[in-house]
């Protein structure tokens, strides 16, 4: 029986001490690596790391399994997918919340950088990721987030479906 794509449930996520320690460890490891640091200071690396894994923790609360591999840029499977969601290797991306926009849209808007990165990774590593899960969140209080999901998309069609955005929405 084929696996079924399903959108995760929205939830309120309160980060626990283990998750906060995980974020700090990831940020320190990223900062220690010149390639991954990309010239950013530690505070920026930490903030970007935290923002990047909030959605992964929200998926883990719903049964996803986070990628257990230690990051190694030479091993694509260690960094190209974030969680196993219902048997699919998923890349998890933060996307704009449509309720914070002037118009509610029927499409998903991502930065040009993210779009180019997804398209490049699809070409370079065609079998590393099965799906992309796009979500968004609002901070409710310290370490507590309202997480919502926008889209689950097959990774093998992402390149053909990317289009330039109207600058009004970028």
């Amino acid at each position: 029986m084929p696996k079924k794509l399903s959108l995760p449930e929205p939830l309120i996520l309160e980060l626990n001490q283990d998750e906060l320690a995980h974020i700090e460890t990831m940020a320190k490891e990223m900062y220690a690596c010149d390639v991954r640091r990309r010239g950013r200071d530690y505070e920026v690396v930490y903030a970007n790391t935290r923002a990047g894994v909030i959605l992964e923790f929200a998926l883990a609360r719903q049964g996803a399994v986070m990628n257990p591999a230690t990051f190694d840029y030479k091993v694509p499977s260690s960094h190209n997918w974030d969680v196993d969601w219902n048997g699919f290797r998923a890349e998890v991306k933060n996307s704009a919340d449509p309720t914070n926009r002037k118009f509610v849209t029927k499409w998903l808007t991502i930065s040009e950088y993210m779009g180019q990165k997804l398209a490049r990774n699809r070409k370079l590593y065609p079998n590393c990721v099965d799906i992309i899960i796009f979500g968004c969140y609002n901070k409710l209080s310290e370490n507590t987030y309202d997480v919502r999901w926008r889209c689950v998309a097959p990774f093998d069609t992402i390149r053909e479906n990317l289009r330039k955005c109207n600058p009004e929405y970028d």
Side-chain angles (χ1 to χ4, degrees), residues 1-7 83-90 127-131 152 154:
M1 182 164 196
K3 297 182 263 185
K4 182 181 174 194
L5 286 178
S6 63
L7 198 60
V83 302
D84 180 305
W85 175 249
N86 295 334
F88 293 100
R89 292 166 301 174
N127 298 315
C128 278
V129 176
D130 301 314
I131 61 174
V152 175

Side-chain angles (χ1 to χ4, degrees), residues 25-51:
T25 299
M26 283 180 69
K28 286 178 180 175
E29 289 173 357
M30 197 172 299
Y31 186 73
C33 175
D34 290 339
V35 173
R36 296 174 74 200
R37 184 180 339 143
R38 296 191 323 255
R40 301 172 292 177
D41 63 24
Y42 178 76
E43 289 74 23
V44 173
V45 170
Y46 180 84
N48 291 161
T49 302
R50 185 180 181 112

Side-chain angles (χ1 to χ4, degrees), residues 126-152:
N127 298 315
C128 278
V129 176
D130 301 314
I131 61 174
I132 305 173
I133 301 175
F134 293 96
C136 56
Y137 58 84
N138 290 309
K139 185 175 183 176
L140 300 177
S141 63
E142 191 63 30
N143 301 324
T144 304
Y145 302 88
D146 180 10
V147 178
R148 305 293 166 158
W149 305 100
R150 303 276 329 275
C151 175
V152 175

Side-chain angles (χ1 to χ4, degrees), residues 73 76 79-80 116-129 155 159:
Y73 72 93
H79 58 83
N80 279 355
Q116 294 301 326
K117 181 179 175 186
L118 290 172
R120 184 189 74 234
N121 285 350
R122 171 68 185 110
K123 185 176 180 181
L124 293 174
Y125 314 111
N127 298 315
C128 278
V129 176
F155 192 59
R159 188 163 181 79

Side-chain angles (χ1 to χ4, degrees), residues 94-110 134-138 146-151 169:
N94 192 358
S95 65
D97 180 351
T99 61
N100 290 337
R101 299 205 171 251
K102 185 165 52 169
F103 305 105
V104 175
T105 60
K106 292 182 181 181
W107 58 85
L108 181 74
T109 302
I110 58 175
F134 293 96
C136 56
Y137 58 84
N138 290 309
D146 180 10
V147 178
R148 305 293 166 158
W149 305 100
R150 303 276 329 275
C151 175
Y169 299 104

